[in-house]
Amino acid sequence: MMKAILVLLVAVLYREITGDDQCEEILAPMCRGFLRYRKTKMPNLFGHTTQAQAYRRMERYWANMDLSCSNNFRSTICGVYFPECKTKGTTVSVKLPCREGCLYAKKECRRAFSSYNMAWPTKVLKCKQLPRKKSKNCVKPYKKLKKPRDRQHNFCQPNQIELCNGFNISKVSLPNFFQQDDPQMISTELENYRQLLRSNCSPNLRFFMCGVYQSWCPSNNRPIVLPCRQVCEEVKASCEATYRRLYNGLKWPAKFQCHRYPLPNSTVYPCKASDTITPDDEVPFRG
């Protein structure tokens, strides 16, 4: 019975619909800018009627996406929560990711998931229930990798993110605190907070976000220095309501939850408070 319902939902999702409902810009920071498309339409495969509902459910898989073990993992999991939407006149077409991309990701990520004690999200990504590429009713997958991608552990590296220029620590850790090791991926994710950063909701916001995504690296013996928890608490108190308003009700991101960040006396991770650095007055966004 459940399988029949899922098959029906898949069929509904990639049909063409005629009406007044239009596509909407993807807001989720782990998906926006990483996909071959920018717009989606609710409800999705799981019956979520708003992006905020979908975001709350899929945020738990953010760590899996950051492993970057496959070009197809992020596109597949984002695709089932935020399917592609296109409009032509009054016709709206919605497509899920292709089955082949899901299968590629499952194979390519097997080793990385195992090394981090992560399990394939079987309740969400049931590859065989997605449409095949030959049907032309799904989002084309990326090419299958010839061999698994090796993670880069370079530790102290020059900062490559323009947004984070101007602080008095020039070296950052790769991978960062969230195991992201691709500067382009980090930059793309940071760009999704363009509106929040321009809101000036907190004088510590840019310092905090750069410390989150570009963990400071004083030396290879101490490769990760994070923002102190009190900086996070000030930023969250000042900016959470602004974030919800600017991003159509999305909750404060899991990466910015303050329990993740150390207290000044931490023996696990050293931390920096905002008054220990000297940022430039203004750093432009790329693009």
Side-chain angles (χ1 to χ4, degrees):
M1 179 66 177
M2 283 300 296
K3 185 175 180 179
I5 293 172
L6 283 170
V7 170
L8 178 61
L9 281 171
V10 170
V12 168
L13 274 169
Y14 64 71
R15 73 183 181 184
E16 289 191 346
I17 307 166
T18 301
D20 296 329
D21 292 340
Q22 298 297 306
C23 306
E24 54 191 77
E25 290 281 338
I26 294 171
L27 298 175
M30 70 284 286
C31 299
R32 182 181 175 88
F34 291 101
L35 306 177
R36 285 173 164 160
Y37 57 93
R38 296 183 59 86
K39 294 188 176 183
T40 189
K41 189 177 188 302
M42 298 287 119
N44 63 12
L45 181 65
F46 309 104
H48 302 134
T49 57
T50 66
Q51 288 197 50
Q53 290 176 349
Y55 175 67
R56 280 194 291 271
R57 299 298 297 177
M58 76 167 301
E59 196 175 32
R60 69 189 71 180
Y61 304 112
W62 206 339
N64 304 68
M65 299 182 210
D66 285 346
L67 292 179
S68 302
C69 49
S70 168
N71 288 336
N72 287 291
F73 181 77
R74 188 186 299 264
S75 62
T76 301
I77 199 161
C78 286
V80 296
Y81 280 99
F82 300 104
E84 179 190 55
C85 182
K86 290 184 177 180
T87 57
K88 187 176 181 180
T90 58
T91 300
V92 180
S93 61
V94 184
K95 291 182 180 180
L96 289 166
C98 293
R99 181 186 307 184
E100 289 81 356
C102 182
L103 292 171
Y104 293 164
K106 191 172 184 179
K107 182 177 181 179
E108 291 162 356
C109 290
R110 184 180 295 125
R111 186 175 70 174
F113 277 35
S114 176
S115 65
Y116 285 93
N117 294 316
M118 294 178 175
W120 182 259
T122 53
K123 293 183 178 180
V124 175
L125 294 185
K126 298 180 184 294
C127 299
K128 292 183 179 180
Q129 293 177 350
L130 295 173
R132 290 184 180 275
K133 184 171 64 173
K134 65 181 180 181
S135 72
K136 297 183 179 180
N137 282 321
C138 58
V139 180
K140 184 179 178 181
Y142 294 98
K143 291 182 179 179
K144 184 179 180 181
L145 296 177
K146 293 181 179 179
K147 63 178 181 178
R149 177 181 179 275
D150 291 327
R151 293 187 59 72
Q152 301 297 313
H153 289 269
N154 299 319
F155 296 117
C156 288
Q157 295 291 306
N159 169 52
Q160 299 179 45
I161 309 298
E162 184 182 28
L163 172 65
C164 297
N165 287 341
F167 297 110
N168 67 3
I169 293 182
S170 59
K171 295 292 184 72
V172 298
S173 180
L174 286 177
N176 65 13
F177 184 54
F178 296 101
Q179 298 303 307
Q180 294 170 296
D181 61 354
D182 181 351
Q184 181 58 52
M185 181 175 73
I186 294 169
S187 180
T188 297
E189 195 169 307
L190 266 171
E191 279 291 311
N192 288 326
Y193 301 105
R194 175 193 295 256
Q195 288 180 281
L196 185 67
L197 284 156
R198 286 182 171 170
S199 74
N200 296 316
C201 56
S202 165
N204 294 317
L205 180 61
R206 184 164 70 92
F207 164 78
F208 171 68
M209 292 186 67
C210 287
V212 168
Y213 285 99
Q214 294 281 88
S215 310
W216 299 292
C217 191
S219 71
N220 285 334
N221 293 325
R222 195 179 67 167
I224 295 182
V225 176
L226 296 165
C228 292
R229 187 176 302 178
Q230 63 264 38
V231 179
C232 176
E233 289 170 345
E234 187 282 321
V235 168
K236 184 178 180 183
S238 300
C239 297
E240 186 171 16
T242 302
Y243 181 83
R244 285 183 175 272
R245 175 176 58 81
L246 291 175
Y247 297 89
N248 202 25
L250 296 191
K251 71 172 185 177
W252 189 247
K255 286 184 177 180
F256 302 161
Q257 294 298 335
C258 298
H259 70 274
R260 294 181 178 275
Y261 300 100
L263 295 169
N265 59 355
S266 171
T267 58
V268 179
Y269 287 109
C271 71
K272 281 194 168 290
S274 59
D275 60 358
T276 64
I277 63 165
T278 53
D280 292 336
D281 291 336
E282 184 67 29
V283 174
F285 285 93
R286 64 172 175 81

